[in-house]
Amino acid sequence: MDKARGSDPMKKSGSPRWRGFLPLVGLVLLVALPFAAQAFGQSALTSLATRMLILAIAASALNIALGLGGLVSFGHAAFYGVGAYAVGILTTHGASGMPFLGFVPGSEHLAVNLLVAMSVSGIVAGLIGALALRTSGVPFIMITLAFAQMLFFFFVALKAYGGDDGLSMRRRNALPGLNMRDDVTFYFTSLTILLAWLGVSARLFHSRFGLLLGGIRQSERRMQAIGVPTVRYRWLAFVLSGVGTGLAGGLMAVFGRFVSPDMMHWTQSGELLIMVVLGGAGTIFGPVLGAFALIGLETLLAGWTEHWQIILGPALVLMALTFRGGLARLGRSEQGP
Amino acid sequence: MALLLEQMLNGVQLGVMLFLLAAGLTLIFGIMGVINLAHGSLYMVGAYAAAFVAQATGSFLLAIPAGLAAAALVGMTIEFTVVRRLYARDHLDQVLATFGLILFFNQLVVLMFGRQPMFVQIPPAFAGAIDLGLFSYPVYRLCIIAVGLATAGALFWLIQRTRLGMLVRAGATHRDMVQALGVDVRLLYTVVFGLGALLAGLAGLMSGPLLSVQVGMGEQILILTFVVVVIGGLGSVSGAFAGALLVGIVDTSLRAFLPGLLRGIMTGSEADALAGGISAMGVYLLMAIVLLVRPKGLFPAHG
């Protein structure tokens, strides 16, 4: 636990000169974590940290819609779940040898399955986004929530793939040359995917696309007036965000060898939002910090009392009322947007 | 024909329940610009308070004021302590804070009443069914419809014909002007929030004898209420009324008639599973269609 918390060292940063090194320090700690966990005989810590890494991907992906696009989506659990089900269904068919729908061959290859998870979530995000972006503000929040709920009920009713009970997989998807059944190997695979995703989102934030979205966030009317098709850009941000969330969902399905409609429960959407805001919306590393902080806090509280939500709830209220800008902006002179 | 009418009544009954919640939600948004996810928790508070008093005293008559008072008090306390600080914030902060409130209230109810659902008897005066010619219909459900329609009427009267309603309407469109004219806007907000909570509590206490009273009941109906509010047009009470009846009737008819229709073209168990899925998704599809045609809802609020 201590090691995991060590990865948000921005808490104590006072001097701006340190800041550049902080991600590097975090990375070193993350690389050292599984070895330290083994040395202290706490190998469960590696699994916990893997979950944090995967949720960090999801939070970072939501951040593209929320922080970059200014879209408060309360339905991102849908893409998380769709990605997970894409992997789950492909893996089931891969294991049984029966093609999906009679012509799509199953697969137990990790890379193939994750790519499919990303594409399917991207398509679903494209459809939901096209409808939801007809509105903005509070209706947008409600509609994304409602669509996620619709998909939740769809998978509850999907008896062929477990329905309510979910879908278990016999073994983890494989990558040639790597032993995925080993938790440390899987941890480093997840870490690599997280780093790659962070690289992509850092590029996005500083690209022309990211700057345009920043402009749209500040004044949509002005951007429209200079000829920017604002809705199309927002839609693209929403789709990219869905793709990344689907990737995280797929990876989580492989990690736990299990998928269930619970992954797209509306509280999951809420938790992803909390991670982004807690860490700092619109920053590159903020959502990662947020994911680690929230899962860490939940694990600590859950170890202390069964009724941990009675503490987490008011903590969230306090956070929303007082805390501006998120963990990643702590110690900077300006406090958030 | 009889079955069709009976299901229509069931749909109207669900519709008026949804209206009681949607009216509060849409008023609170229309006037204060706050999205209140904890509105479902107020429904749950009303249901639990009524169920607790009904079980303790055996009297549903005492349960009614208990449910109403509990919901209104909790609602005004929430407004006073938390929501008041959210008016000037963006919607994201409002979502997070009220999400935190949901977690708190759900867990509080688990601590106080446990995870087992509570069941409430239909009060003996309203037990049994009444013969409506073609079919007989439970008296209690008819009562709910009557209470719901009466409340809707009273609410429209309150908003359109009274001084409070005038302030509410003015506050929704010209907040600063109302304040400049010397109206205590903070008090007005607390009153409106309390009114919304009261309506949610009323829906909660009436639902007790029909559904089991349990943790999570608030969120189930809250999400359906969102659909109603979006279909009707956010901020519009008459839109909420139309949306609620539409959603109630569509949802009930899909659940009632779809399995039978599908069984004509496939085997029984498959038809039931598919029908269950489609009818659970039905209202969301309805919402998607309404949004395609009218992005601002059926009866958009002005401004």
Side-chain angles (χ1 to χ4, degrees):
Chain A
M1 200 55 252
D2 284 336
K3 292 287 175 195
R5 254 192 297 160
S7 70
D8 54 41
M10 305 214 169
K11 267 187 170 168
K12 291 184 187 78
S13 75
S15 146
R17 252 196 307 167
W18 292 15
R19 291 202 140 260
F21 294 105
L22 288 177
L24 210 63
V25 174
L27 183 61
V28 170
L29 286 176
L30 283 177
V31 170
L33 184 134
F35 303 112
Q38 264 175 344
F40 290 104
Q42 301 278 332
S43 45
L45 206 58
T46 309
S47 299
L48 177 67
T50 311
R51 272 188 56 220
M52 290 172 165
L53 289 176
I54 296 174
L55 283 163
I57 301 175
S60 169
L62 172 60
N63 189 31
I64 293 182
L66 183 70
L68 200 57
L71 300 166
V72 184
S73 163
F74 204 170
H76 257 55
F79 313 132
Y80 186 65
V82 165
Y85 265 98
V87 168
I89 291 173
L90 274 181
T91 307
T92 311
H93 285 283
S96 69
M98 302 264 283
F100 171 61
L101 294 179
F103 65 95
V104 183
S107 147
E108 290 191 275
H109 192 291
L110 182 70
V112 172
N113 286 3
L114 288 183
L115 279 176
V116 172
M118 289 162 76
S119 328
V120 175
S121 330
I123 293 168
V124 174
L127 291 174
I128 293 181
L131 273 169
L133 279 166
R134 293 172 69 84
T135 63
S136 61
V138 169
F140 182 84
I141 300 174
M142 294 177 171
I143 286 162
T144 45
L145 173 61
F147 277 122
Q149 210 55 18
M150 177 173 128
L151 284 170
F152 173 81
F153 285 123
F154 173 78
F155 282 103
V156 166
L158 196 65
K159 291 279 182 276
Y161 295 102
D164 226 354
D165 300 327
L167 185 62
S168 301
M169 286 161 262
R170 214 147 30 99
R171 54 175 179 260
R172 279 188 191 152
N173 287 179
L175 264 188
L178 289 174
N179 176 18
M180 281 298 159
R181 275 155 61 186
D182 176 37
D183 279 342
V184 176
T185 312
F186 199 89
Y187 173 86
F188 280 109
T189 311
S190 309
L191 183 60
T192 312
I193 296 177
L194 171 66
L195 291 177
W197 175 260
L198 287 179
V200 170
S201 57
R203 283 295 294 271
L204 263 177
F205 269 69
H206 299 299
S207 67
R208 184 172 167 274
F209 173 69
L211 295 176
L212 271 169
L213 281 171
I216 295 171
R217 225 169 45 238
Q218 284 166 24
S219 172
E220 184 157 8
R221 280 176 66 187
R222 280 186 199 169
M223 294 306 273
Q224 268 170 349
I226 58 173
V228 176
T230 57
V231 175
R232 204 184 307 159
Y233 278 102
R234 289 202 142 145
W235 178 79
L236 200 55
F238 193 77
V239 173
L240 285 174
S241 172
V243 168
T245 316
L247 168 69
L251 199 56
M252 188 61 100
V254 178
F255 175 58
R257 292 184 295 118
F258 180 66
V259 193
S260 83
D262 272 347
M263 289 182 80
M264 42 179 86
H265 197 254
W266 68 278
T267 47
Q268 180 71 55
S269 300
E271 286 201 4
L272 290 177
L273 274 180
I274 294 164
M275 288 173 194
V276 177
V277 174
L278 178 66
T283 62
I284 308 277
F285 294 107
V288 179
L289 296 182
F292 273 77
L294 184 69
I295 303 293
L297 185 67
E298 282 183 4
T299 313
L300 272 181
L301 288 178
W304 187 38
T305 162
E306 178 202 350
H307 303 288
W308 52 277
Q309 287 186 339
I310 211 160
I311 302 166
L312 185 68
L316 285 180
V317 174
L318 271 181
M319 179 190 99
L321 289 181
T322 58
F323 192 61
R324 309 309 307 268
L327 291 173
R329 288 198 182 86
L330 281 184
R332 272 193 212 172
S333 46
E334 100 281 18
Q335 282 272 308
Chain B
M1 188 62 200
L3 184 65
L4 188 67
L5 279 175
E6 191 178 347
Q7 292 301 339
M8 280 295 159
L9 275 181
N10 280 342
V12 172
Q13 182 254 308
L14 177 60
V16 297
M17 294 287 259
L18 286 173
F19 170 71
L20 290 178
L21 280 154
L25 202 67
T26 211
L27 267 180
I28 289 169
F29 177 78
I31 294 163
M32 306 163 210
V34 166
I35 171 171
N36 178 24
L37 297 184
H39 206 66
S41 299
L42 299 170
Y43 168 83
M44 180 178 73
V45 166
Y48 264 97
F52 177 71
V53 171
Q55 280 190 352
T57 64
S59 155
F60 195 72
L61 213 61
L62 286 175
I64 295 173
L68 291 177
L73 274 179
V74 170
M76 291 208 270
T77 312
I78 291 178
E79 200 276 343
F80 200 73
T81 50
V82 177
V83 178
R84 174 165 289 191
R85 291 165 225 284
L86 291 170
Y87 294 142
R89 297 303 191 77
D90 59 18
H91 297 312
L92 184 57
D93 285 339
Q94 298 169 354
V95 166
L96 291 178
T98 49
F99 181 75
L101 287 177
I102 293 183
L103 295 184
F104 174 74
F105 280 114
N106 279 351
Q107 209 57 47
L108 190 68
V109 164
V110 170
L111 269 179
M112 287 170 68
F113 300 98
R115 284 184 201 280
Q116 291 298 320
M118 288 171 89
F119 295 95
V120 185
Q121 296 290 323
I122 291 180
F126 305 119
I130 190 169
D131 191 17
L132 295 178
L134 283 168
F135 58 95
S136 60
Y137 198 73
V139 179
Y140 185 70
R141 284 177 184 265
L142 275 183
C143 282
I144 291 185
I145 296 177
V147 170
L149 292 179
T151 313
L155 195 64
F156 281 115
W157 174 78
L158 183 77
I159 292 177
Q160 300 296 338
R161 292 276 180 270
T162 65
R163 187 173 169 79
L164 178 67
M166 195 172 71
L167 289 177
V168 164
R169 280 179 290 136
T173 49
H174 300 92
R175 191 176 316 180
D176 297 336
M177 184 56 85
V178 173
Q179 204 159 8
L181 288 173
V183 176
D184 186 350
V185 174
R186 297 218 303 185
L187 183 66
L188 180 69
Y189 285 180
T190 310
V191 168
V192 171
F193 204 91
L195 180 69
L198 192 74
L199 294 176
L202 177 63
L205 76 91
M206 288 199 302
S207 76
L210 291 180
L211 313 161
S212 57
V213 175
Q214 59 185 331
V215 176
M217 64 187 290
E219 287 78 69
Q220 262 176 358
I221 200 156
L222 176 81
I223 294 169
L224 214 52
T225 310
F226 279 174
V227 173
V228 166
V229 169
V230 167
I231 287 179
L234 199 56
S236 149
V237 177
S238 44
F241 188 70
L245 288 185
L246 192 62
V247 167
I249 290 172
V250 167
D251 191 55
T252 311
S253 337
L254 280 179
R255 278 175 213 283
F257 299 118
L258 205 58
L261 288 177
L262 286 180
R263 243 178 247 149
I265 50 175
M266 56 177 77
T267 60
S269 61
E270 274 181 37
D272 286 348
L274 186 66
I278 297 180
S279 42
M281 291 164 62
V283 289
Y284 303 106
L285 290 176
L286 175 71
M287 180 189 74
I289 295 167
V290 170
L291 276 178
L292 274 177
V293 186
R294 305 190 66 155
K296 285 197 185 294
L298 295 175
F299 298 90
H302 44 88

